[in-house]
């Protein structure tokens, strides 16, 4: 039997591309440019599997016609860029890559929290601009992190890993909101305590960190009313998905001092970042680096390889979403 034809939409770490090429008839996107909707539709017509990333948008219109593809092996845990119902309706399976990016994403959330609280970005910029005039007691005063309260929205793998860092690393009081009840003993393992509503978590926290999925159900979960429900002088950290935050409301909350600052790794219209955010000193901006370590990106690729190998061998892929 001929080997399944696979299209990889973006370049992967070499080890993962090699593992893929050993098992499948692989086409790489050598230019590594994001694919258009037409290119993705054509890819679904021409290949047995397409392996997309967050930079590929796959709405229902991309699945029109009679695709040849039988599986989308997403490189990433979040899959709000794929209309999974439309894929399912065409008999296309979808898999993702949970677990292997938990620690690195929690690390990036901590990096953002520390950087925005302690004004790390501003300090860097000041030195590189040759504007530092020397130490003095009132220079670039930030906000203490240790022993403060952090509120986590979404207590899945990454939310828990972040809680662990905050509580056991920084002695923070950790509260969280999660749509389903988390066993108290399980929460306590991460030094965390569940609250009943998003508002309860927002009102109690000096730092709020988002760890829920993107997509319709959490779209603009952080809106003007929710920013108003945050503690005065609190900070927002977002390593989840851009669409969880209404960026216009965030900008207004920052401009009017409703919140003190924000640390962001994800945006509503990536790679576009609002100019108003770029102009603010109290905002730390990263270009979607949550899982960007050599170890994790390789492990993500290997997970996709395992998922589609299982699928084409007639086994259930470990990380099947639909
Ligand atoms: C990935 C992520 O780099 O896995 C996710 O959901 O947000 C990132 O860590 C990206 O999504 C790859 O597609």
């Amino acid at each position: 039997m001929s080997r399944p034809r696979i299209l990889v939409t973006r370049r992967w770490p070499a080890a993962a591309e090699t593992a893929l090429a050993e098992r499948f008839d692989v086409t790489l996107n050598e230019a590594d440019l994001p694919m258009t909707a037409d290119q993705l539709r054509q890819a679904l017509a021409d290949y047995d599997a397409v392996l997309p990333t967050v930079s590929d948008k796959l709405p229902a219109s991309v699945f029109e016609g009679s695709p040849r593809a039988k599986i989308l092996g997403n490189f990433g845990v979040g899959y709000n860029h794929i209309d999974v119902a439309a894929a399912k309706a065409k008999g296309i399976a979808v898999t993702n890559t949970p677990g292997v990016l938990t620690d690195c994403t929690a690390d990036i959330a901590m990096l953002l929290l520390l950087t925005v609280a302690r004004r790390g970005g501003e300090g860097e910029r000041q030195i590189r601009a040759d504007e530092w005039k020397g130490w003095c007691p009132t220079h670039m005063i930030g906000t203490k992190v240790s022993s403060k309260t952090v509120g986590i929205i979404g207590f899945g793998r990454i939310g828990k890993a972040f809680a662990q860092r905050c509580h056991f690393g920084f002695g923070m009081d950790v509260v969280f909101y999660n749509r389903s009840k988390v066993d108290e003993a399980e929460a306590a393992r991460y030094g965390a305590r569940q609250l009943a509503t998003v508002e309860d978590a927002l009102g109690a926290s000096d730092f709020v960190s988002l760890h829920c999925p993107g997509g319709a159900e959490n779209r603009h979960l952080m809106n003007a009313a929710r920013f108003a429900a945050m503690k005065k002088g609190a900070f927002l950290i977002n390593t989840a998905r851009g669409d969880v935050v209404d960026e216009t409301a965030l900008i207004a909350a920052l401009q009017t001092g409703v919140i003190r600052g924000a640390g962001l790794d994800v945006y509503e219209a990536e790679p576009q970042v609002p100019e108003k955010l770029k102009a603010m000193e109290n905002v730390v901006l990263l270009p979607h680096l949550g899982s960007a370590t050599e170890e994790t990106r390789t492990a993500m690729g290997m997970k996709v390889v395992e998922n589609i190998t299982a699928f084409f061998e007639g086994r259930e892929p470990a990380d099947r979403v639909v």
Side-chain angles (χ1 to χ4, degrees):
M1 196 188 113
S2 63
R3 302 201 298 175
R5 296 191 69 211
I6 311 287
L7 177 79
V8 191
T9 68
R10 303 302 297 270
R11 296 307 303 267
W12 288 4
E17 285 187 349
T18 302
L20 200 60
E22 280 165 7
R23 299 182 192 184
F24 301 102
D25 175 2
V26 174
T27 302
L28 302 176
N29 175 356
E30 298 289 348
D32 202 19
L33 293 171
M35 294 177 66
T36 64
D38 281 344
Q39 287 172 322
L40 287 165
R41 197 177 299 111
Q42 194 58 48
L44 292 175
D46 294 342
Y47 292 87
D48 300 303
V50 174
L51 313 184
T53 73
V54 72
S55 63
D56 303 303
K57 304 292 167 241
L58 293 126
S61 57
V62 165
F63 297 95
E64 280 163 11
S66 309
R68 163 178 171 160
K70 291 283 169 276
I71 182 167
L72 292 175
N74 186 53
F75 183 98
V77 66
Y79 52 85
N80 63 317
H81 51 289
I82 303 171
D83 187 329
V84 291
K88 189 176 178 190
K90 294 286 178 176
I92 302 175
V94 180
T95 59
N96 68 344
T97 64
V100 292
L101 42 73
T102 303
D103 283 331
C104 286
T105 307
D107 289 348
I108 279 278
M110 203 70 226
L111 172 74
L112 285 170
L113 189 156
L114 290 168
T115 307
V116 73
R118 300 301 306 275
R119 304 178 63 176
E122 287 174 77
E124 256 269 309
R125 287 191 287 279
Q126 187 175 63
I127 289 187
R128 288 178 188 276
D130 277 330
E131 284 170 359
W132 184 32
K133 304 281 185 284
W135 190 91
C136 80
T138 55
H139 179 226
M140 216 168 266
I141 301 302
T143 300
K144 184 176 176 181
V145 170
S146 297
S147 78
K148 293 288 179 66
T149 299
V150 62
I152 294 175
I153 308 296
F155 205 63
R157 291 181 196 83
I158 301 171
K160 287 174 181 170
F162 183 65
Q164 189 174 44
R165 283 154 176 72
C166 291
H167 184 71
F168 296 103
F170 292 85
M172 298 176 88
D173 192 17
V174 182
V175 296
F176 67 91
Y177 168 79
N178 192 65
R179 64 186 166 175
S180 57
K181 174 86 183 118
V182 176
D183 181 66
E184 266 178 47
E186 167 76 355
R189 282 182 53 206
Y190 300 93
R193 179 164 55 88
Q194 187 163 15
L195 299 181
T197 66
V198 173
E199 282 72 16
D200 289 343
L202 299 179
S205 303
D206 302 296
F207 298 90
V208 171
S209 191
L210 305 176
H211 297 282
C212 53
E217 72 181 298
N218 291 326
R219 189 179 138 75
H220 290 186
L221 178 141
M222 287 307 298
N223 54 24
R226 290 261 167 78
F227 284 116
M230 283 174 70
K231 221 168 146 176
K232 185 114 185 85
F235 296 84
L236 178 78
I237 309 301
N238 188 11
T239 54
R241 277 292 179 268
D243 62 358
V244 180
V245 175
D246 176 345
E247 269 172 9
T248 307
L250 169 64
I251 290 164
L254 287 161
Q255 282 173 335
T256 54
V258 169
I259 67 171
R260 184 170 295 177
L264 309 172
D265 190 42
V266 287
Y267 307 89
E268 280 203 83
E270 293 177 17
Q272 262 84 53
V273 177
E275 291 302 323
K276 286 182 178 158
L277 287 178
K278 291 190 222 167
M280 290 179 190
E281 288 289 4
N282 55 338
V283 178
V284 178
L285 303 166
L286 292 180
H288 202 145
L289 294 181
S291 63
T293 63
E294 195 179 328
E295 296 88 337
T296 290
R297 288 283 163 83
T298 300
M300 288 163 73
M302 293 304 186
K303 236 179 184 302
V304 183
V305 175
E306 291 310 320
N307 282 323
I308 63 162
T309 300
F311 182 84
F312 286 112
E313 288 179 357
R315 294 179 285 116
E316 184 65 9
D319 309 305
R320 188 167 182 157
V321 175
V322 295

